[in-house]
Amino acid sequence: MADLFLTAAVLGTLLILLASGIWIGAAMLATGLVAFLFTSAPAGSLLASSVWEASWGWALTAMPLFVWMGEILFRTKLSESMFHGLAPWLERIPGRLLHVNILGCGVMAAICGSSAVTCATIGRISIPELKRRGYDEGMAIGTLAGSGTLGLLIPPSIMMIVYGVTAQVSISELFFAGFLPGAMVIGLFMAYTAGWALLNPGRVPVSDRSFTFVQKLRASQKLIPVALLIAVVVASIYSGVATPTEAAALGIVGALGLAIATRTLARDMLIDSLLATVRTSCMIGFLLSGAAFVTVAMGFTGLPQTLAAWVDGFALSQGQFIIAMTMLFVILGCFLDGISMLVLTAPVVLPMARAQGIDLLWFGIYIVLVVEMAQITPPVGFNLYVLQSLTGKNIARVTMATFPFFFLLCIGVLLIWYFPGIVSVLPASMRG
Amino acid sequence: MKDSIRAALDRFYRCCGLISAIFVVLMTLAILGQIISRLPFVDVVFDAVEISGFCLAASLFLGLAYTLKVGAHIRVGLLVGVLPTRAKRWVELWCTSVAAALTAYASYHAALMNLDSWKFGDLSAGLAAIPLWVPQLAMTFGLIALTIAFLDEFFLVLSGRPVEFRDSEALDVEEILKAPAPLKPRNA
Amino acid sequence: QAATSWVMVSGYPDNNYVTENIREFIKEVDEKSNGELKISLHSNGSLVKMDNIRRAVQTGQVQMGEIRLGSYGNEDPMYILDNVPYMTKDYKQAWVLMETSAPYFDALMAKSGIKPLGYQPFPGQGFFTQAEIHSAVDLHGKKLRIYSKVTQEMGQKLGATAIILPFADIPQAFATGMIDGLFTSAQTGVDIQAWTNSSHFTYVGAIFTKTLLGVNKEAYDALPENLRTIVDEAGHSLTERAWRKSEEANQGHIAELEKNGMKTYAPPADVLARLTSVGQELAETWKAEASPEAVAVLDAYRARIKQ
Ligand code: NA
Ligand code: NA
């Protein structure tokens, strides 16, 4: 009974504050304080110490560093070359340049941790190009909105760093766990696009050009240094030469080198990139502070254990638990962005997942996939906003065009459920 | 008078942002230092784990106010976004005052903890033995600055500034889409 | 009936003998007090992280905590006297050192408003390597992962290269040759499945670090006298059990290393001699930094083990 009251108070506070538009980090601080009313522990002093503890971990240092690396690379104008660099390679595949959206986002994803930004950066160039060449608009929208979400799954991923810090799972392992699922999603998207193109031959314009291998290389020469840089960063983590944090620092050096090589490095550019980094990492820092306090408050109330026991009472199988979680996340995902959704639910959901005996590494990749779905569900779905602004179509039309890709992500979840090896093979090989 | 306060506050937030940025750079340098110290021909033991952690904390806290003022802290604007203008103003007053009260409370307790660390002479556990009150000062200061920023927002709304509910990612995307090529996109 | 409920925190995982022993302590208090004093344990740093536990107990955020003494060596060398190699050769000597230093810790902790109830020793440590260590020469140039000032100095005096790494990065660093040696306990070796990366464990013993079970003094004083007695007694039995359990756990872990194909053995004579002399040097360094009262504890301890 007391627990019911506590649950209602905590959930009520959170929902009212969130709905009234209070900054999510602040709403979590308030929620924690309300939870502490039900205990005799000193809330204020625990607020200070938990927020402090949460903000200086070694693992978290990777977050601003990867953000900064992305910010520098952005400003080297490489995204401008993405379309023309990739297009010549994809002329022969059914669906042709639609695949540029998918692979372009995949490459962009390896630089940047955000889904909407991945989507906007690629889409800004590719949507006008595809339109000019007479491609089907629905597919142009769908491939872009869907593939933009890869930013979260393909390392480096800010989402994975936040999850790793919250769930105390190795970030290196999460990064490598994300690789094959990332490739799997790219594969699913490309297969769907190719299949669609074969079924609708009239809606894909005919190829008007052919390229020799040398021409292809020349077209994508600007992408090669970036690809090498990403490969070096990733390889240095995988081979153990560097921890993710150290790899990020090396990535920054590489990105600065690239900026010098492309003559885009300037004082203003450097300051802009740093201030953008500050904005993103402080935004996440505020969320994490709130989450740390809620976690401690929950620990004192014992609510997560009660809830976990309650869920246990239903004697759900792991599969049923995952189905229930997926429904919860899909609903939440209609209203919240990914990182907020993750940090808001983590204090309660992670103990439950642990109690269900679910591997937290696998669960991390699962959550990233579900958060990807949230990016393309209305009304709050950032990738949808992006496509709306890019195409001028209304949100309903954009959502309809994107729906097949939401469905493909669901298939992705099913695949990692039935073949957990997709997630675990690479991290296990890294352990030696 | 009013204008000079406004200008001073805006300079203050930007300074906070720049100092936060400097700590990102220091953190990068510390970590690079650790990588270099580990090279076989370099005979130094340099432990960046604590120092970079403290730089991170300093950066995260000192940048809070700046981040708020550029509108990058995340909030759910969907529901209140559809309200009429008058109602929006009331909601924004509620949001900023609650947030200011919460961060003021947090600042107060951060200051108390900071004082304790100083009084008891707490030292970090690692090889560097850094007095904990030093990095904690960044937390106290950053939270106070955030409180000031929330209060500032409150009074701006009170004095009639139009209210917009937006979130950081929408802001980023807007900027990327608006930008003329060559872009200056932002990450999130 | 008005039962008192306390919150207790520990940074060690559930399966660690330290946490298991704490659970027995809690059970003893519960039974002897007929449920008058309930203690709920949050282990694995879930509520408060390891190095913050002392402050959490001090400020009354929680009533009790398992405090890792080694974290505070920068503040008072007394915290890391037991980190000096061969300061204590075995569990018996570790017990004597614990007894001799207890009054000092009582006074030291009292300054922070904490009352020590008991101590738990960690098993001795050793080298995890990829090849057998036949003599001290084999340690030369080894990239050895260290975790503290004392182990850093020890590593360097043995001619190894000291490498600092966060705990979480050890398996990967080992797998890829960023480090090729590790100085830690058999327990940690089992935790990180050391056999996947190394084949030999040279069990040195040598370092028996301790944790301190502390209670917030105000909370303690607020208890009726009979409960205070019960808590004190439970603390004593925790300490006694700890010495036994620690040794058993250590043997169990060494056996597990062997079961997984690792070769475990005592250090060769010249390594032992070298470590002992390194220990003596480090003890001198320690003396130079410690307060006269702390040095007096060391002298008293040495006098007692000579008898
Ligand atoms: Na990414
Ligand atoms: Na959504």
Side-chain angles (χ1 to χ4, degrees):
Chain A
M1 189 59 214
D3 282 329
L4 202 64
F5 188 48
L6 169 67
T7 314
V10 167
L11 213 60
T13 313
L14 186 64
L15 288 181
I16 290 172
L17 292 182
L18 286 183
S20 71
I22 286 187
W23 293 267
I24 296 178
M28 282 196 275
L29 293 183
T31 308
L33 287 176
V34 168
F36 265 116
L37 292 178
F38 293 79
T39 73
S40 54
S45 111
L46 280 159
L47 169 60
S49 56
S50 59
V51 166
W52 168 248
E53 276 182 11
S55 51
W56 72 279
W58 167 251
L60 192 59
T61 52
M63 187 262 292
L65 296 185
F66 273 123
V67 173
W68 191 25
M69 179 183 107
E71 292 292 346
I72 299 170
L73 285 178
F74 262 133
R75 291 171 168 76
T76 58
K77 297 177 191 166
L78 82 111
S79 53
E80 311 274 292
S81 358
M82 199 75 79
F83 189 91
H84 297 285
L86 286 174
W89 301 94
L90 300 165
E91 288 282 354
R92 296 291 181 83
I93 305 175
R96 297 177 54 232
L97 298 189
L98 288 173
H99 296 283
V100 175
N101 275 348
I102 301 169
L103 284 178
C105 285
V107 176
M108 206 60 211
I111 295 162
C112 133
S114 152
S115 140
V117 171
T118 301
C119 187
T121 315
I122 298 298
R124 199 171 154 271
I125 312 288
S126 80
I127 288 282
E129 290 276 354
L130 291 176
K131 197 173 175 184
R132 192 170 59 81
R133 297 175 197 207
Y135 278 83
D136 180 76
E137 189 168 45
M139 277 305 277
I141 291 175
T143 47
L144 195 56
S147 319
T149 65
L150 287 168
L152 310 176
L153 189 58
I154 295 180
S157 158
I158 306 304
M159 182 72 78
M160 286 181 192
I161 296 178
V162 171
Y163 177 84
V165 168
T166 321
Q168 299 189 335
V169 173
S170 154
I171 291 165
S172 320
E173 293 196 2
L174 276 167
F175 277 10
F176 287 100
F179 251 114
L180 291 181
M184 170 191 80
V185 171
I186 292 181
L188 282 171
F189 287 179
M190 288 181 74
Y192 172 79
T193 304
W196 174 89
L198 291 175
L199 290 176
N200 302 279
R203 289 159 81 179
V204 181
V206 193
S207 177
D208 50 357
R209 286 185 297 173
S210 65
F211 297 87
T212 66
F213 185 72
V214 178
Q215 280 173 323
K216 287 179 186 172
L217 271 188
R218 192 167 296 141
S220 43
Q221 64 180 354
K222 281 187 185 158
L223 295 180
I224 292 169
V226 185
L228 281 178
L229 175 62
I230 295 165
V232 167
V233 168
V234 165
S236 70
I237 303 177
Y238 190 73
S239 65
V241 172
T243 63
T245 303
E246 291 169 343
L250 291 175
I252 288 171
V253 174
L256 286 174
L258 252 169
I260 293 172
T262 55
R263 299 211 177 86
T264 41
L265 187 70
R267 187 168 160 274
D268 281 353
M269 180 269 213
L270 209 56
I271 292 178
D272 278 355
S273 69
L274 275 166
L275 285 179
T277 308
V278 166
R279 287 191 289 265
T280 301
S281 53
C282 290
M283 177 271 283
I284 295 173
F286 195 28
L287 287 177
L288 283 175
S289 299
F293 182 55
V294 170
T295 305
V296 167
M298 290 292 121
F300 271 93
T301 60
L303 191 60
Q305 285 86 337
T306 314
L307 286 180
W310 177 69
V311 170
D312 212 36
F314 292 106
L316 295 178
S317 67
Q318 284 191 357
Q320 287 164 327
F321 174 75
I322 289 295
I323 290 173
M325 280 295 117
T326 309
M327 291 195 313
L328 172 76
F329 281 122
V330 166
I331 292 169
L332 283 179
C334 291
F335 303 98
L336 290 168
D337 72 285
I339 289 185
S340 308
M341 194 161 93
L342 172 60
V343 295
L344 275 172
T345 53
V348 172
V349 165
L350 288 179
M352 281 188 198
R354 215 174 270 133
Q356 290 282 331
I358 291 172
D359 174 27
L360 287 189
L361 183 67
W362 182 89
F363 197 67
I365 300 304
Y366 157 77
I367 283 200
V368 170
L369 270 172
V370 179
V371 163
E372 287 195 23
M373 295 184 199
Q375 296 284 345
I376 50 177
T377 53
V380 178
F382 283 109
N383 291 18
L384 301 181
Y385 295 164
V386 173
L387 268 307
Q388 197 185 358
S389 338
L390 278 173
T391 59
K393 303 285 167 204
N394 68 36
I395 197 94
R397 170 87 182 85
V398 173
T399 307
M400 284 306 295
T402 309
F403 182 74
F405 294 85
F406 175 86
F407 187 69
L408 290 171
L409 284 172
C410 294
I411 293 180
V413 170
L414 281 178
L415 283 175
I416 65 163
W417 168 255
Y418 284 108
F419 307 99
I422 301 174
V423 173
S424 61
V425 158
L426 278 181
S429 79
M430 192 172 74
R431 276 180 227 124
Chain B
M1 178 58 191
K2 212 172 170 184
D3 285 349
S4 68
I5 292 179
R6 180 75 264 141
L9 277 173
D10 288 341
R11 253 203 319 277
F12 170 70
Y13 301 130
R14 189 170 162 86
C15 264
C16 286
L18 288 173
I19 297 172
S20 167
I22 289 172
F23 276 106
V24 174
V25 177
L26 289 178
M27 182 170 78
T28 313
L29 293 177
I31 292 162
L32 289 174
Q34 173 168 297
I35 299 172
I36 292 169
S37 81
R38 197 179 289 157
L39 295 175
F41 46 86
V42 185
D43 194 26
V44 210
V45 176
F46 177 65
D47 173 21
V49 172
E50 276 188 346
I51 297 166
S52 60
F54 291 148
C55 287
L56 171 70
S59 170
L60 290 185
F61 287 115
L62 292 173
L64 284 175
Y66 167 77
T67 306
L68 177 73
K69 293 304 278 192
V70 296
H73 280 308
I74 287 202
R75 57 200 303 198
V76 180
L78 177 75
L79 302 172
V80 283
V82 297
L83 293 176
T85 313
R86 253 180 79 88
K88 257 191 210 162
R89 184 173 302 281
W90 282 106
V91 172
E92 187 69 335
L93 288 176
W94 148 261
C95 287
T96 47
S97 53
V98 169
L102 284 166
T103 46
Y105 180 78
S107 313
Y108 171 71
H109 282 285
L112 285 186
M113 182 181 79
N114 209 160
L115 209 62
D116 265 358
S117 300
W118 175 72
K119 226 167 46 193
F120 291 100
D122 288 359
L123 295 176
S124 71
L127 306 192
I130 298 164
L132 280 182
W133 67 266
V134 178
Q136 284 177 356
L137 207 57
M139 163 162 159
T140 308
F141 186 82
L143 286 173
I144 292 174
L146 181 62
T147 311
I148 294 174
F150 275 126
L151 285 174
D152 184 15
E153 289 285 290
F154 176 81
F155 286 112
L156 281 173
V157 176
L158 205 61
S159 66
R161 189 194 63 178
V163 179
E164 272 181 296
F165 285 88
R166 295 196 305 183
D167 18 45
S168 73
E169 206 153 17
L171 212 69
D172 288 340
V173 167
E174 225 167 83
E175 202 166 286
I176 296 173
L177 299 183
K178 265 195 319 220
L183 334 162
K184 280 189 170 183
R186 283 164 42 176
N187 201 350
Chain C
Q1 97 188 39
T4 311
S5 350
W6 278 1
V7 175
M8 173 169 180
V9 290
S10 154
Y12 299 99
D14 273 328
N15 60 1
N16 195 299
Y17 101 87
V18 169
T19 308
E20 283 167 8
N21 200 14
I22 291 170
R23 289 199 192 283
E24 288 186 36
F25 166 89
I26 292 173
K27 201 165 144 231
E28 184 179 336
V29 170
D30 185 49
E31 280 169 3
K32 284 193 179 159
S33 70
N34 294 319
E36 283 282 307
L37 179 56
K38 292 271 182 204
I39 303 172
S40 60
L41 174 67
H42 297 260
S43 57
N44 210 6
S46 59
L47 213 49
V48 181
K49 294 214 177 79
M50 185 88 84
D51 290 351
N52 262 2
I53 290 179
R54 185 186 60 169
R55 175 50 45 82
V57 177
Q58 174 186 352
T59 53
Q61 291 179 344
V62 297
Q63 284 73 33
M64 294 185 72
E66 186 73 13
I67 299 167
R68 179 170 66 184
L69 294 174
S71 301
Y72 310 103
N74 289 334
E75 294 175 16
D76 183 334
M78 190 50 153
Y79 283 114
I80 46 168
L81 178 55
D82 56 13
N83 278 243
V84 175
Y86 288 105
M87 182 53 64
T88 49
K89 283 204 192 76
D90 48 32
Y91 277 97
K92 235 183 217 151
Q93 291 192 350
W95 178 270
V96 176
L97 180 60
M98 181 273 294
E99 277 189 338
T100 321
S101 57
Y104 188 99
F105 279 119
D106 285 344
L108 187 61
M109 287 288 149
K111 277 192 229 159
S112 311
I114 297 173
K115 181 184 158 58
L117 290 176
Y119 296 88
Q120 307 202 60
F122 272 90
Q125 313 196 6
F127 296 99
F128 286 86
T129 50
Q130 283 152 332
E132 182 160 350
I133 295 176
H134 297 288
S135 75
V137 183
D138 292 340
L139 282 167
H140 273 274
K142 277 263 177 323
K143 288 177 277 181
L144 191 66
R145 188 260 178 179
I146 53 102
Y147 57 88
S148 66
K149 219 175 239 167
V150 173
T151 50
Q152 178 198 347
E153 284 171 28
M154 185 191 83
Q156 285 172 333
K157 287 193 167 142
L158 288 168
T161 311
I163 303 240
I164 299 184
L165 265 185
F167 181 78
D169 293 329
I170 292 177
Q172 201 195 347
F174 229 138
T176 56
M178 187 196 279
I179 55 171
D180 44 28
L182 196 63
F183 187 72
T184 189
S185 63
Q187 156 107 58
T188 308
V190 171
D191 287 348
I192 62 169
Q193 307 192 322
W195 48 85
T196 57
N197 303 311
S198 54
S199 50
H200 290 75
F201 178 57
T202 318
Y203 180 65
V204 173
I207 295 182
F208 295 88
T209 59
K210 290 189 294 287
T211 63
L212 181 157
L213 177 66
V215 59
N216 178 284
K217 189 77 170 57
E218 261 177 58
Y220 175 83
D221 288 340
L223 292 178
E225 206 188 328
N226 66 321
L227 286 188
R228 274 183 299 192
T229 316
I230 290 170
V231 170
D232 286 345
E233 283 171 4
H236 283 300
S237 31
L238 168 116
T239 309
E240 270 163 25
R241 273 196 314 270
W243 252 258
R244 184 163 41 78
K245 277 175 173 277
S246 176
E247 201 163 2
E248 283 168 11
N250 188 39
Q251 282 158 3
H253 289 128
I254 291 181
E256 179 141 12
L257 292 178
E258 282 170 351
K259 203 179 81 194
N260 284 285
M262 289 195 74
K263 189 174 176 208
T264 67
Y265 51 95
D270 70 330
V271 172
L272 198 63
R274 185 83 195 99
L275 273 170
T276 312
S277 78
V278 166
Q280 277 158 0
E281 281 174 53
L282 287 172
E284 288 310 308
T285 320
W286 183 91
K287 263 177 120 167
E289 287 168 7
S291 66
E293 294 81 9
V295 175
V297 170
L298 174 57
D299 293 340
Y301 160 71
R302 281 185 166 158
R304 275 185 67 180
I305 55 169
K306 267 204 192 113
Q307 285 166 10

